[in-house]
Amino acid sequence: MSFAKSLRCRECGREYPLEPSHVCEFCFGPLEVVYDYDAMHRNITRETIERGPASIWRYADFLPVDIEYAVDINAGYTPLIRAKNLGERLGLTNLWIKNDCANPTWSFKDRVVTVAATRARQFGFDTLACASTGNLANSVSAHAARAGLRAYVFIPSDLERGKIVGSSVYGATLVAVDGNYDDVNRLCSELADKYRWAFVNINMRPYYAEGSKTLGYEVAEQLGWRAPDHVVAPMASGSLYVKIWKGLQELARLWLIDSVQTKMSGAQARGCSPIVTAHEHGTTNVRPVRPQTIAKSLAIGNPADGYYALKVMEESGGYGVASDDAEIIDGMKLLAESEGIFAETAGGVVIAGLAKLAREGKIRSDELTVAYITGSGLKTQEAIEDALAIPLHIDPTMASFEHALGERARDTAQAGA
Ligand SMILES: *Cc1c(COP(=O)(O)O)cnc(C)c1O
Ligand SMILES: [Zn+2]
């Protein structure tokens, strides 16, 4: 049995039963799951967690679902890697990478979808749906296949090929909408009123969003039960960023870690930075923008959790940081070349932002810093392929190889001169 008690409006505090709904009928504020923390405190210890499976389900007691309904393709419990090489390049002596590319559909979205799909099955839905910037479409399609549910996934029509193929392959009905994510989301909100489908990030959003808390829990556990000093995380709607903070706060509340002093820094692409821009202007009033960036997975111009992200940034003493497309590509290359991790454009946004914060002295060199890498670069190859060296092309002879090698050395020397 889950320790979730009810849904509560984040604005006026009114409570609602655990149902597939996401807005307060009274003030239209967003709803959030509340838990019986006293019961959790009596039942959960570090040992009960450590005995659990090597997946998100080791934190089942923190999630608003009953595990007998679990739709499980083994999301979560991804590697936390000490990034010594990258740290040396950036002047950071205690840098770690949380590599969420290592999820079943190669992005952190498997965390949120496994929770939403499980709750959808518990509610008796037979259809999963979503409005997606790409990775969510992949994950919803895969989880629906696993659960034997139908899936309708809605995406902007200009998405990367890898994200389109990575949804269709699971047998989902893919709907490419001529418009940007904010148009797709608006359409899906209308559809969610008419069809009795579980839109994971609309009517199921309170449950879905809780899955991201596990990115806070896991990092704390992997660090030996402590919170990082500094976090750099990507922001699209801002939900992931806010829930990492909530996850850390919950661990402290349940006495599983000491009090949380983590500075939460959030990274966006300059071509879609409504949250960072509001932070720079010292306001919590987020002004919607029209996205124009290669970081399509983060291209939400009207972020649902922007206001709450800004509150976390302020409360934790973190920073907002934005990078342009060239810096994003450099960030992708830097991470790949220094640590052997091929991240998508959102990872480039995080590494570019991390580098900037380090350069500006906003991250102290000895702070225990965790950078969240949330999706795999194999899905966004078109963003970076023109910025990479082309293969040496040779005949199958020693002479041809050595000739080509000589040419490459000369080109490299010229480029460096
Ligand atoms: C969806 C997504 C995010 C963050 O999304 P939020 O809406 O801010 O929760 C980050 N990285 C990748 C790769 C994503 O697909
Ligand atoms: Zn309300």
Side-chain angles (χ1 to χ4, degrees):
M1 269 295 286
S2 160
F3 294 106
K5 278 196 314 195
S6 59
L7 297 176
R8 182 191 293 145
C9 175
R10 278 152 104 179
E11 290 305 317
C12 74
R14 271 192 175 62
E15 297 213 11
Y16 295 87
L18 292 165
E19 277 171 5
S21 61
H22 68 300
V23 282
C24 176
E25 287 162 13
F26 184 73
C27 78
F28 302 107
L31 304 183
E32 182 172 51
V33 180
V34 287
Y35 298 86
D36 182 350
Y37 287 112
D38 291 336
M40 288 170 80
H41 184 50
R42 286 192 301 273
N43 285 279
I44 303 172
T45 64
R46 290 177 182 177
E47 290 69 36
T48 62
I49 295 165
E50 287 162 355
R51 273 201 303 273
S55 75
I56 193 177
W57 296 105
R58 69 204 280 108
Y59 300 105
D61 285 342
F62 297 76
L63 298 172
V65 294
D66 292 338
I67 41 173
E68 66 256 40
Y69 298 94
V71 181
D72 182 13
I73 60 173
N74 213 35
Y77 212 59
T78 55
L80 180 72
I81 295 152
R82 181 80 193 259
K84 221 168 156 297
N85 300 335
L86 180 59
E88 270 168 26
R89 301 259 203 123
L90 303 179
L92 301 175
T93 58
N94 202 356
L95 177 64
W96 299 74
I97 300 286
K98 179 62 167 168
N99 183 9
D100 242 25
C101 306
N103 271 303
T105 72
W106 307 286
S107 88
F108 103 93
K109 289 294 196 304
D110 290 326
R111 298 176 183 275
V112 282
V113 173
T114 199
V115 175
T118 298
R119 190 72 211 199
R121 187 142 81 171
Q122 192 171 341
F123 283 138
F125 284 102
D126 62 10
T127 303
L128 286 187
C130 67
S132 173
T133 57
N135 287 313
L136 185 59
N138 295 181
S139 187
V140 164
S141 305
H143 282 87
R146 174 72 174 183
L149 301 170
R150 275 196 303 271
Y152 291 91
V153 303
F154 296 79
I155 54 171
S157 58
D158 70 345
L159 228 48
E160 300 96 339
R161 264 176 63 78
K163 289 187 181 157
I164 294 171
V165 175
S167 295
S168 324
V169 70
Y170 302 108
T173 301
L174 196 57
V175 186
V177 179
D178 285 329
N180 61 30
Y181 173 81
D182 299 286
D183 299 319
V184 175
N185 191 44
R186 192 165 8 82
L187 169 64
C188 286
S189 296
E190 284 173 37
L191 294 173
D193 284 338
K194 169 150 188 210
Y195 295 88
R196 208 190 118 70
W197 295 347
F199 277 87
V200 299
N201 55 339
I202 301 177
N203 51 341
M204 298 297 290
R205 191 171 179 84
Y207 309 95
Y208 158 98
E210 292 294 283
S212 291
K213 295 188 305 182
T214 59
L215 268 173
Y217 307 147
E218 278 179 27
V219 160
E221 181 183 352
Q222 288 168 316
L223 290 173
W225 297 106
R226 60 155 293 180
D229 299 323
H230 209 129
V231 153
V232 183
M235 301 186 296
S237 72
S239 176
L240 158 71
Y241 168 88
V242 168
K243 294 293 178 171
I244 292 171
W245 176 249
K246 182 178 179 189
L248 294 172
Q249 299 293 341
E250 285 182 338
L251 291 184
R253 178 167 187 171
L254 298 173
W255 298 64
L256 296 166
I257 60 173
D258 289 339
S259 75
V260 177
Q261 309 289 339
T262 311
K263 292 196 181 82
M264 294 288 302
S265 288
Q268 295 199 292
R270 188 47 84 185
C272 182
S273 60
I275 304 174
V276 172
T277 303
H279 183 73
E280 286 166 350
H281 292 166
T283 169
T284 51
N285 188 7
V286 179
R287 296 185 53 182
V289 300
R290 184 167 287 275
Q292 189 61 255
T293 170
I294 57 169
K296 296 183 183 185
S297 58
L298 303 181
I300 297 184
N302 188 10
D305 293 270
Y307 169 79
Y308 301 101
L310 287 161
K311 293 306 247 187
V312 168
M313 213 172 271
E314 191 181 288
E315 188 183 340
S316 73
Y319 303 93
V321 61
S323 306
D324 63 31
D325 285 355
E327 294 169 323
I328 293 168
I329 288 169
D330 287 346
M332 292 169 76
K333 285 171 74 173
L334 178 59
L335 179 63
E337 290 171 4
S338 62
E339 296 297 341
I341 296 171
F342 183 17
E344 70 145 81
T345 46
V349 168
V350 167
I351 298 303
L354 172 75
K356 215 171 270 191
L357 294 173
R359 214 160 46 231
E360 293 170 357
K362 290 175 174 164
I363 302 180
R364 275 204 336 268
S365 69
D366 63 341
E367 280 184 308
L368 196 169
T369 301
V370 176
Y372 283 88
I373 299 302
T374 48
S376 162
L378 283 175
K379 296 195 208 181
T380 64
Q381 295 181 55
E382 48 276 79
I384 195 170
E385 57 197 352
D386 291 343
L388 304 178
I390 54 169
L392 297 176
H393 196 156
I394 65 167
D395 296 326
T397 65
M398 175 85 76
S400 179
F401 171 64
E402 290 181 343
H403 175 72
L405 211 54
E407 301 243 290
R408 175 61 58 90
R410 219 181 45 229
D411 291 349
T412 311
Q414 268 169 10

